[in-house]
Amino acid sequence: MGYGAMQLAGPGVWGPPKDPAGAVAVLREAVAAGVDHIDTSDYYGPHVTNQIIRDALHPYPDGLVIVTKLGGKRPADKSWQPAITPAELISGLHDNLRNLGLEAMDIVNYRVMGMGPEEGSVAEQISTLADLQRQGLIRHIGISNATAAQVAEAQSIVDIVSVQNNYNLAHREDDALIDDLARQGIAYVPFFPLGGFSPLQSSTLSDVATKLGSTPLQVALAWLLHRSPNILLIPGTSSVGHLRENLAAAELTLSEETLAELNAI
Ligand SMILES: NC(=O)c1ccc[n+]([C@@H]2O[C@H](COP(=O)([O-])OP(=O)(O)OC[C@H]3O[C@@H](n4cnc5c(N)ncnc54)[C@H](OP(=O)(O)O)[C@@H]3O)[C@@H](O)[C@H]2O)c1
C-alpha cells in the first residue's frame, strides 16, 4: 500500500493547499505507518506537491521509493497540456529533482497525455527517458495512461518496471493488460483506485462494507489488492483520517463469495 500525493495541492491540483501543515502531517503519517511508495508529479501544483514532499520528508528514509511522471505541463490557465519534446522531458525531470531535493529519481513514468489511452508511438519519449537513465538521473522507467501496444513498444526500447493506468472496481478496461503484466512480473499501479475526483458509489459495495464492518472505499481498495499480486496501490488523500482508513484496507480479507459479488458490479 503506497500513497498518491496529487490531493496535497490546492483545489483543481493548483497552488498551495488550504492546510499546508495538514499536508505535511499526511506524508509523515504515511511514512511512519510503513508506506514506502509515494507517487507524485512536478506538474501537481505545479511544483507545490513536490515541495511539500521535500519539506515533510527530506532527507528521505532508506527504502522510500518516490515515483514521478513526465509528459505534462500546467500553463497559467490551469489546463493540462502535453510536454513531450525531449527538451520538455529533460527540463521536467530537472524540475522534479530540484523540487524533491534528489540527485536521481527512483522511477519516472512517461505519462501519455489525453483523458484516456489513445494509440500513438511513444518511442521518442521513452528513448529520451532511456538516455536520462544512462546518465544516471533515472533509476527505473515506467509508463502511464498507455495502451497495451504502447507498453509493448516501450518494452522494445527499455526495461519497463511499472504501468500506471486508470483502473478500479468500476473501470476495468485493463483486465487483460494486468494479467499480462503479472505474468511478466511488472507492477501495475492503478490511478483513481477510489474513483478519483468522484469516489466510487455502489449499493453492492456499501452492502459488502456493512457486512465486513468496514467502509465502501476500504472494500474497493481491498478488492484491488485481491485482484492481482502485481497491483500496488497509491490512493490519494489530503486527510490523515482517510489515510489511516486506506492503509487499514490492506488488512481486509475478502472471501471468494464476496469477490464474486464485487466482480458483478
Ligand atoms: N498517471 C496519471 O495520469 C494519474 C492520474 C490521476 C492520479 N494519479 C495518481 O494516483 C493517485 C490516486 O488518484 P487520486 O488521488 O486522483 O484518486 P483516488 O485515490 O481514487 O481518490 C481520491 C479521492 O478520494 C477521497 N478519499 C481518499 N480516501 C478516502 C477515504 N478513506 N474516504 C473517503 N474519501 C476518500 C479523496 O478526498 P480526501 O482528500 O478528502 O480524502 C479524493 O477526493 C494520485 O494521488 C496521483 O498520485 C495519476
Side-chain angles (χ1 to χ4, degrees), residues 72-89:
K73 62 184 173 190
R74 306 289 306 279
D77 65 1
K78 305 185 184 177
S79 60
W80 302 76
Q81 299 295 332
I84 60 174
T85 64
E88 285 174 316
L89 294 169

mmCIF file of all heavy atoms in Angstrom, residues 72-89:
data_model
loop_
_atom_site.group_PDB
_atom_site.id
_atom_site.type_symbol
_atom_site.label_atom_id
_atom_site.label_comp_id
_atom_site.label_asym_id
_atom_site.label_seq_id
_atom_site.Cartn_x
_atom_site.Cartn_y
_atom_site.Cartn_z
ATOM 1 N N GLY A 72 3.559 16.070 -19.059
ATOM 2 C CA GLY A 72 2.524 17.102 -18.987
ATOM 3 C C GLY A 72 3.065 18.406 -18.430
ATOM 4 O O GLY A 72 4.153 18.452 -17.870
ATOM 5 N N LYS A 73 2.264 19.456 -18.625
ATOM 6 C CA LYS A 73 2.583 20.755 -18.017
ATOM 7 C C LYS A 73 1.282 21.471 -17.716
ATOM 8 O O LYS A 73 0.225 21.116 -18.276
ATOM 9 C CB LYS A 73 3.488 21.583 -18.923
ATOM 10 C CG LYS A 73 2.860 21.931 -20.269
ATOM 11 C CD LYS A 73 3.839 22.675 -21.168
ATOM 12 C CE LYS A 73 3.236 22.841 -22.569
ATOM 13 N NZ LYS A 73 4.180 23.328 -23.565
ATOM 14 N N ARG A 74 1.353 22.468 -16.828
ATOM 15 C CA ARG A 74 0.167 23.219 -16.427
ATOM 16 C C ARG A 74 0.404 24.697 -16.726
ATOM 17 O O ARG A 74 1.042 25.396 -15.945
ATOM 18 C CB ARG A 74 -0.089 23.043 -14.917
ATOM 19 C CG ARG A 74 -0.188 21.614 -14.424
ATOM 20 C CD ARG A 74 -1.449 20.895 -14.858
ATOM 21 N NE ARG A 74 -2.678 21.584 -14.518
ATOM 22 C CZ ARG A 74 -3.258 21.553 -13.318
ATOM 23 N NH1 ARG A 74 -2.706 20.892 -12.329
ATOM 24 N NH2 ARG A 74 -4.406 22.185 -13.111
ATOM 25 N N PRO A 75 -0.106 25.185 -17.871
ATOM 26 C CA PRO A 75 0.013 26.622 -18.146
ATOM 27 C C PRO A 75 -0.821 27.447 -17.160
ATOM 28 O O PRO A 75 -1.597 26.881 -16.380
ATOM 29 C CB PRO A 75 -0.544 26.748 -19.566
ATOM 30 C CG PRO A 75 -0.735 25.372 -20.082
ATOM 31 C CD PRO A 75 -0.811 24.450 -18.909
ATOM 32 N N ALA A 76 -0.669 28.770 -17.244
ATOM 33 C CA ALA A 76 -1.323 29.648 -16.263
ATOM 34 C C ALA A 76 -2.845 29.527 -16.279
ATOM 35 O O ALA A 76 -3.510 29.858 -15.295
ATOM 36 C CB ALA A 76 -0.904 31.096 -16.517
ATOM 37 N N ASP A 77 -3.418 29.021 -17.393
ATOM 38 C CA ASP A 77 -4.884 28.864 -17.423
ATOM 39 C C ASP A 77 -5.337 27.603 -16.679
ATOM 40 O O ASP A 77 -6.516 27.258 -16.694
ATOM 41 C CB ASP A 77 -5.397 28.834 -18.874
ATOM 42 C CG ASP A 77 -4.908 27.624 -19.654
ATOM 43 O OD1 ASP A 77 -4.186 26.778 -19.071
ATOM 44 O OD2 ASP A 77 -5.249 27.518 -20.848
ATOM 45 N N LYS A 78 -4.400 26.906 -16.016
ATOM 46 C CA LYS A 78 -4.660 25.726 -15.174
ATOM 47 C C LYS A 78 -5.044 24.485 -15.966
ATOM 48 O O LYS A 78 -5.484 23.496 -15.407
ATOM 49 C CB LYS A 78 -5.747 26.004 -14.109
ATOM 50 C CG LYS A 78 -5.457 27.193 -13.222
ATOM 51 C CD LYS A 78 -6.496 27.337 -12.117
ATOM 52 C CE LYS A 78 -6.240 28.599 -11.302
ATOM 53 N NZ LYS A 78 -7.228 28.843 -10.285
ATOM 54 N N SER A 79 -4.923 24.557 -17.303
ATOM 55 C CA SER A 79 -5.239 23.369 -18.100
ATOM 56 C C SER A 79 -4.097 22.360 -17.972
ATOM 57 O O SER A 79 -3.064 22.643 -17.362
ATOM 58 C CB SER A 79 -5.439 23.763 -19.573
ATOM 59 O OG SER A 79 -4.263 24.356 -20.076
ATOM 60 N N TRP A 80 -4.325 21.151 -18.513
ATOM 61 C CA TRP A 80 -3.305 20.090 -18.519
ATOM 62 C C TRP A 80 -2.883 19.915 -19.970
ATOM 63 O O TRP A 80 -3.702 19.559 -20.818
ATOM 64 C CB TRP A 80 -3.895 18.775 -17.997
ATOM 65 C CG TRP A 80 -4.466 18.856 -16.616
ATOM 66 C CD1 TRP A 80 -5.648 19.423 -16.249
ATOM 67 C CD2 TRP A 80 -3.885 18.345 -15.405
ATOM 68 N NE1 TRP A 80 -5.835 19.311 -14.889
ATOM 69 C CE2 TRP A 80 -4.773 18.644 -14.349
ATOM 70 C CE3 TRP A 80 -2.703 17.664 -15.107
ATOM 71 C CZ2 TRP A 80 -4.523 18.282 -13.026
ATOM 72 C CZ3 TRP A 80 -2.457 17.303 -13.792
ATOM 73 C CH2 TRP A 80 -3.352 17.621 -12.760
ATOM 74 N N GLN A 81 -1.630 20.196 -20.277
ATOM 75 C CA GLN A 81 -1.155 20.154 -21.664
ATOM 76 C C GLN A 81 0.014 19.186 -21.797
ATOM 77 O O GLN A 81 0.760 18.985 -20.843
ATOM 78 C CB GLN A 81 -0.693 21.560 -22.101
ATOM 79 C CG GLN A 81 -1.776 22.619 -22.057
ATOM 80 C CD GLN A 81 -2.907 22.371 -23.048
ATOM 81 O OE1 GLN A 81 -2.699 21.756 -24.089
ATOM 82 N NE2 GLN A 81 -4.105 22.826 -22.713
ATOM 83 N N PRO A 82 0.201 18.625 -23.003
ATOM 84 C CA PRO A 82 1.355 17.753 -23.197
ATOM 85 C C PRO A 82 2.672 18.530 -23.143
ATOM 86 O O PRO A 82 2.723 19.688 -23.550
ATOM 87 C CB PRO A 82 1.145 17.171 -24.604
ATOM 88 C CG PRO A 82 -0.181 17.628 -25.069
ATOM 89 C CD PRO A 82 -0.653 18.739 -24.190
ATOM 90 N N ALA A 83 3.704 17.855 -22.632
ATOM 91 C CA ALA A 83 5.073 18.405 -22.637
ATOM 92 C C ALA A 83 5.960 17.221 -23.003
ATOM 93 O O ALA A 83 6.527 16.559 -22.143
ATOM 94 C CB ALA A 83 5.430 18.967 -21.269
ATOM 95 N N ILE A 84 6.037 16.940 -24.301
ATOM 96 C CA ILE A 84 6.566 15.639 -24.735
ATOM 97 C C ILE A 84 7.785 15.724 -25.635
ATOM 98 O O ILE A 84 8.251 14.705 -26.126
ATOM 99 C CB ILE A 84 5.453 14.825 -25.442
ATOM 100 C CG1 ILE A 84 4.923 15.570 -26.663
ATOM 101 C CG2 ILE A 84 4.320 14.512 -24.482
ATOM 102 C CD1 ILE A 84 3.935 14.740 -27.481
ATOM 103 N N THR A 85 8.295 16.941 -25.860
ATOM 104 C CA THR A 85 9.536 17.006 -26.650
ATOM 105 C C THR A 85 10.691 16.589 -25.730
ATOM 106 O O THR A 85 10.586 16.692 -24.497
ATOM 107 C CB THR A 85 9.804 18.439 -27.158
ATOM 108 O OG1 THR A 85 10.024 19.279 -26.012
ATOM 109 C CG2 THR A 85 8.624 18.980 -27.960
ATOM 110 N N PRO A 86 11.820 16.149 -26.328
ATOM 111 C CA PRO A 86 12.958 15.800 -25.480
ATOM 112 C C PRO A 86 13.330 16.943 -24.526
ATOM 113 O O PRO A 86 13.575 16.701 -23.338
ATOM 114 C CB PRO A 86 14.075 15.505 -26.501
ATOM 115 C CG PRO A 86 13.324 14.987 -27.704
ATOM 116 C CD PRO A 86 12.062 15.803 -27.752
ATOM 117 N N ALA A 87 13.336 18.178 -25.031
ATOM 118 C CA ALA A 87 13.730 19.309 -24.169
ATOM 119 C C ALA A 87 12.758 19.463 -22.999
ATOM 120 O O ALA A 87 13.167 19.726 -21.861
ATOM 121 C CB ALA A 87 13.785 20.597 -24.995
ATOM 122 N N GLU A 88 11.457 19.279 -23.274
ATOM 123 C CA GLU A 88 10.465 19.426 -22.186
ATOM 124 C C GLU A 88 10.607 18.292 -21.164
ATOM 125 O O GLU A 88 10.455 18.507 -19.949
ATOM 126 C CB GLU A 88 9.051 19.430 -22.776
ATOM 127 C CG GLU A 88 8.698 20.734 -23.468
ATOM 128 C CD GLU A 88 7.352 20.686 -24.175
ATOM 129 O OE1 GLU A 88 7.054 19.681 -24.869
ATOM 130 O OE2 GLU A 88 6.596 21.667 -24.046
ATOM 131 N N LEU A 89 10.856 17.072 -21.652
ATOM 132 C CA LEU A 89 11.010 15.944 -20.727
ATOM 133 C C LEU A 89 12.245 16.142 -19.849
ATOM 134 O O LEU A 89 12.210 15.898 -18.636
ATOM 135 C CB LEU A 89 11.101 14.623 -21.500
ATOM 136 C CG LEU A 89 9.829 14.221 -22.270
ATOM 137 C CD1 LEU A 89 10.117 13.045 -23.202
ATOM 138 C CD2 LEU A 89 8.688 13.880 -21.317
#
